[in-house]
Short mmCIF file of all heavy atoms in Angstrom, two decimals:
data_model
loop_
_atom_site.label_atom_id
_atom_site.label_comp_id
_atom_site.label_asym_id
_atom_site.label_seq_id
_atom_site.Cartn_x
_atom_site.Cartn_y
_atom_site.Cartn_z
N ALA A 1 -31.31 69.11 -19.02
CA ALA A 1 -31.77 68.56 -17.74
C ALA A 1 -33.08 69.19 -17.30
O ALA A 1 -33.95 68.52 -16.73
CB ALA A 1 -30.71 68.75 -16.68
N LEU A 2 -33.25 70.50 -17.56
CA LEU A 2 -34.43 71.22 -17.09
C LEU A 2 -35.58 71.25 -18.08
O LEU A 2 -36.69 71.67 -17.74
CB LEU A 2 -34.05 72.66 -16.73
CG LEU A 2 -33.14 72.84 -15.52
CD1 LEU A 2 -32.76 74.31 -15.36
CD2 LEU A 2 -33.82 72.33 -14.26
N ARG A 3 -35.33 70.81 -19.30
CA ARG A 3 -36.37 70.85 -20.34
C ARG A 3 -37.64 70.15 -19.88
O ARG A 3 -38.76 70.55 -20.21
CB ARG A 3 -35.83 70.21 -21.62
CG ARG A 3 -36.84 70.16 -22.75
CD ARG A 3 -36.23 69.60 -24.03
NE ARG A 3 -35.23 70.52 -24.59
CZ ARG A 3 -34.67 70.35 -25.78
NH1 ARG A 3 -34.97 69.29 -26.51
NH2 ARG A 3 -33.79 71.22 -26.22
N GLU A 4 -37.46 69.13 -19.08
CA GLU A 4 -38.59 68.34 -18.58
C GLU A 4 -39.58 69.19 -17.78
O GLU A 4 -40.77 68.87 -17.71
CB GLU A 4 -38.06 67.20 -17.73
CG GLU A 4 -39.07 66.19 -17.29
CD GLU A 4 -38.43 65.07 -16.47
OE1 GLU A 4 -37.18 64.95 -16.49
OE2 GLU A 4 -39.18 64.32 -15.84
N SER A 5 -39.11 70.27 -17.17
CA SER A 5 -40.01 71.12 -16.38
C SER A 5 -41.08 71.77 -17.24
O SER A 5 -42.14 72.18 -16.74
CB SER A 5 -39.21 72.19 -15.63
OG SER A 5 -38.59 73.09 -16.53
N LEU A 6 -40.84 71.89 -18.55
CA LEU A 6 -41.82 72.47 -19.47
C LEU A 6 -42.97 71.51 -19.76
O LEU A 6 -43.94 71.89 -20.41
CB LEU A 6 -41.14 72.88 -20.78
CG LEU A 6 -40.14 74.03 -20.68
CD1 LEU A 6 -39.44 74.25 -22.01
CD2 LEU A 6 -40.81 75.32 -20.21
N TYR A 7 -42.89 70.28 -19.27
CA TYR A 7 -44.01 69.34 -19.41
C TYR A 7 -45.17 69.73 -18.49
O TYR A 7 -46.29 69.25 -18.67
CB TYR A 7 -43.59 67.92 -19.05
CG TYR A 7 -42.49 67.29 -19.87
CD1 TYR A 7 -42.01 66.02 -19.55
CD2 TYR A 7 -41.91 67.94 -20.95
CE1 TYR A 7 -41.00 65.42 -20.29
CE2 TYR A 7 -40.89 67.36 -21.68
CZ TYR A 7 -40.42 66.10 -21.35
OH TYR A 7 -39.42 65.50 -22.06
N CYS A 8 -44.91 70.55 -17.48
CA CYS A 8 -45.90 70.86 -16.44
C CYS A 8 -47.19 71.39 -17.03
O CYS A 8 -47.18 72.29 -17.89
CB CYS A 8 -45.30 71.88 -15.47
SG CYS A 8 -46.44 72.41 -14.17
N ILE A 9 -48.33 70.86 -16.56
CA ILE A 9 -49.64 71.33 -17.00
C ILE A 9 -50.33 72.16 -15.91
O ILE A 9 -51.54 72.41 -16.00
CB ILE A 9 -50.53 70.17 -17.48
CG1 ILE A 9 -50.77 69.15 -16.36
CG2 ILE A 9 -49.92 69.50 -18.70
CD1 ILE A 9 -51.75 68.06 -16.73
N ARG A 10 -49.59 72.57 -14.89
CA ARG A 10 -50.08 73.48 -13.85
C ARG A 10 -51.32 72.93 -13.13
O ARG A 10 -52.32 73.64 -12.97
CB ARG A 10 -50.40 74.86 -14.45
CG ARG A 10 -49.23 75.54 -15.15
CD ARG A 10 -48.16 75.97 -14.15
NE ARG A 10 -47.18 76.84 -14.78
CZ ARG A 10 -46.02 76.43 -15.31
NH1 ARG A 10 -45.70 75.15 -15.26
NH2 ARG A 10 -45.19 77.28 -15.86
N CYS A 11 -51.22 71.69 -12.66
CA CYS A 11 -52.34 71.09 -11.94
C CYS A 11 -52.27 71.35 -10.45
O CYS A 11 -53.28 71.26 -9.74
CB CYS A 11 -52.39 69.58 -12.20
SG CYS A 11 -51.03 68.66 -11.45
N GLY A 12 -51.08 71.63 -9.91
CA GLY A 12 -50.92 71.91 -8.49
C GLY A 12 -50.80 70.68 -7.61
O GLY A 12 -50.70 70.80 -6.39
N ALA A 13 -50.79 69.47 -8.20
CA ALA A 13 -50.73 68.25 -7.38
C ALA A 13 -49.45 68.19 -6.57
O ALA A 13 -49.45 67.71 -5.42
CB ALA A 13 -50.85 67.02 -8.27
N CYS A 14 -48.34 68.67 -7.12
CA CYS A 14 -47.07 68.60 -6.39
C CYS A 14 -47.08 69.51 -5.17
O CYS A 14 -46.41 69.24 -4.17
CB CYS A 14 -45.90 68.91 -7.32
SG CYS A 14 -45.85 70.60 -7.98
N LEU A 15 -47.86 70.60 -5.23
CA LEU A 15 -47.97 71.49 -4.08
C LEU A 15 -48.73 70.79 -2.95
O LEU A 15 -48.34 70.86 -1.78
CB LEU A 15 -48.68 72.79 -4.44
CG LEU A 15 -47.91 73.88 -5.18
CD1 LEU A 15 -47.46 73.43 -6.57
CD2 LEU A 15 -48.75 75.14 -5.28
N ASN A 16 -49.82 70.13 -3.32
CA ASN A 16 -50.70 69.53 -2.31
C ASN A 16 -50.02 68.40 -1.55
O ASN A 16 -50.39 68.11 -0.41
CB ASN A 16 -51.97 69.01 -2.98
CG ASN A 16 -52.72 70.10 -3.72
OD1 ASN A 16 -52.68 71.27 -3.33
ND2 ASN A 16 -53.39 69.74 -4.80
N ILE A 17 -49.04 67.76 -2.17
CA ILE A 17 -48.38 66.61 -1.54
C ILE A 17 -47.09 67.01 -0.84
O ILE A 17 -46.58 66.27 0.01
CB ILE A 17 -48.09 65.51 -2.59
CG1 ILE A 17 -47.90 64.14 -1.93
CG2 ILE A 17 -46.89 65.85 -3.43
CD1 ILE A 17 -49.18 63.52 -1.47
N CYS A 18 -46.55 68.17 -1.18
CA CYS A 18 -45.22 68.57 -0.69
C CYS A 18 -45.26 68.97 0.79
O CYS A 18 -46.00 69.88 1.17
CB CYS A 18 -44.70 69.75 -1.52
SG CYS A 18 -43.12 70.40 -0.92
N PRO A 19 -44.45 68.33 1.65
CA PRO A 19 -44.47 68.68 3.08
C PRO A 19 -43.96 70.09 3.35
O PRO A 19 -44.34 70.69 4.36
CB PRO A 19 -43.55 67.63 3.71
CG PRO A 19 -42.69 67.13 2.60
CD PRO A 19 -43.53 67.22 1.36
N VAL A 20 -43.12 70.63 2.47
CA VAL A 20 -42.63 71.99 2.66
C VAL A 20 -43.73 73.00 2.31
O VAL A 20 -44.06 73.89 3.11
CB VAL A 20 -41.37 72.26 1.82
CG1 VAL A 20 -40.92 73.71 1.96
CG2 VAL A 20 -40.25 71.33 2.24
N TYR A 21 -44.32 72.85 1.12
CA TYR A 21 -45.38 73.78 0.73
C TYR A 21 -46.54 73.73 1.72
O TYR A 21 -47.10 74.76 2.09
CB TYR A 21 -45.91 73.47 -0.67
CG TYR A 21 -47.10 74.33 -1.01
CD1 TYR A 21 -46.93 75.58 -1.57
CD2 TYR A 21 -48.40 73.93 -0.68
CE1 TYR A 21 -48.01 76.42 -1.83
CE2 TYR A 21 -49.49 74.76 -0.92
CZ TYR A 21 -49.29 75.99 -1.50
OH TYR A 21 -50.37 76.81 -1.73
N ARG A 22 -46.90 72.54 2.17
CA ARG A 22 -48.08 72.38 3.02
C ARG A 22 -47.92 73.07 4.37
O ARG A 22 -48.90 73.29 5.08
CB ARG A 22 -48.41 70.90 3.20
CG ARG A 22 -48.86 70.23 1.90
CD ARG A 22 -49.11 68.75 2.08
NE ARG A 22 -50.22 68.53 3.00
CZ ARG A 22 -50.17 67.73 4.04
NH1 ARG A 22 -49.05 67.07 4.33
NH2 ARG A 22 -51.22 67.58 4.83
N HIS A 23 -46.70 73.41 4.75
CA HIS A 23 -46.48 74.14 5.99
C HIS A 23 -46.04 75.59 5.75
O HIS A 23 -46.41 76.48 6.51
CB HIS A 23 -45.42 73.43 6.85
CG HIS A 23 -45.91 72.14 7.45
ND1 HIS A 23 -45.83 70.94 6.77
CD2 HIS A 23 -46.51 71.88 8.63
CE1 HIS A 23 -46.35 69.99 7.55
NE2 HIS A 23 -46.76 70.53 8.66
N ALA A 24 -45.28 75.81 4.69
CA ALA A 24 -44.77 77.17 4.43
C ALA A 24 -45.80 78.02 3.70
O ALA A 24 -45.82 79.25 3.85
CB ALA A 24 -43.47 77.10 3.63
N GLY A 25 -46.65 77.39 2.87
CA GLY A 25 -47.60 78.16 2.08
C GLY A 25 -46.95 78.80 0.88
O GLY A 25 -45.73 78.90 0.78
N GLY A 26 -47.76 79.26 -0.05
CA GLY A 26 -47.24 79.77 -1.32
C GLY A 26 -46.50 81.08 -1.23
O GLY A 26 -45.55 81.32 -1.97
N HIS A 27 -46.91 81.96 -0.33
CA HIS A 27 -46.30 83.29 -0.28
C HIS A 27 -44.84 83.25 0.17
O HIS A 27 -44.07 84.15 -0.16
CB HIS A 27 -47.11 84.20 0.65
CG HIS A 27 -48.45 84.57 0.08
ND1 HIS A 27 -49.54 84.85 0.86
CD2 HIS A 27 -48.86 84.68 -1.20
CE1 HIS A 27 -50.57 85.14 0.09
NE2 HIS A 27 -50.18 85.04 -1.17
N ALA A 28 -44.45 82.21 0.90
CA ALA A 28 -43.06 82.12 1.36
C ALA A 28 -42.10 81.99 0.18
O ALA A 28 -40.93 82.38 0.28
CB ALA A 28 -42.89 80.92 2.30
N TYR A 29 -42.58 81.47 -0.95
CA TYR A 29 -41.71 81.25 -2.10
C TYR A 29 -41.39 82.56 -2.83
O TYR A 29 -40.48 82.60 -3.66
CB TYR A 29 -42.34 80.26 -3.07
CG TYR A 29 -42.38 78.85 -2.53
CD1 TYR A 29 -43.35 78.45 -1.61
CD2 TYR A 29 -41.44 77.90 -2.91
CE1 TYR A 29 -43.39 77.17 -1.10
CE2 TYR A 29 -41.47 76.61 -2.41
CZ TYR A 29 -42.44 76.26 -1.49
OH TYR A 29 -42.47 74.98 -0.99
N GLY A 30 -42.16 83.61 -2.57
CA GLY A 30 -41.80 84.93 -3.05
C GLY A 30 -42.12 85.25 -4.48
O GLY A 30 -41.83 86.34 -4.96
N TRP A 31 -42.75 84.31 -5.22
CA TRP A 31 -43.11 84.62 -6.60
C TRP A 31 -44.34 83.83 -6.98
O TRP A 31 -44.95 83.14 -6.16
CB TRP A 31 -41.92 84.33 -7.54
CG TRP A 31 -42.02 85.07 -8.85
CD1 TRP A 31 -42.35 86.38 -9.02
CD2 TRP A 31 -41.82 84.52 -10.17
NE1 TRP A 31 -42.34 86.70 -10.36
CE2 TRP A 31 -42.02 85.59 -11.08
CE3 TRP A 31 -41.49 83.27 -10.66
CZ2 TRP A 31 -41.90 85.43 -12.46
CZ3 TRP A 31 -41.35 83.10 -12.03
CH2 TRP A 31 -41.55 84.16 -12.93
#
C-alpha cells in the first residue's frame, strides 16, 4: 500500500496546496 510513496520526486507541490501545511508550516511536523 505504501510503496507508491517512493514515487515522490520531492517537488513540494503537495505542501503548497495543503490547507494544513499552509497554516501550520513545516516545523510543526517535527522532522
Side-chain angles (χ1 to χ4, degrees):
L2 292 175
R3 178 176 292 189
E4 188 178 346
S5 65
L6 293 174
Y7 299 176
C8 177
I9 60 174
R10 302 291 191 266
C11 69
C14 65
L15 281 64
N16 302 329
I17 201 75
C18 176
V20 176
Y21 174 88
R22 293 177 64 231
H23 289 87
H27 290 151
Y29 290 80
W31 201 45

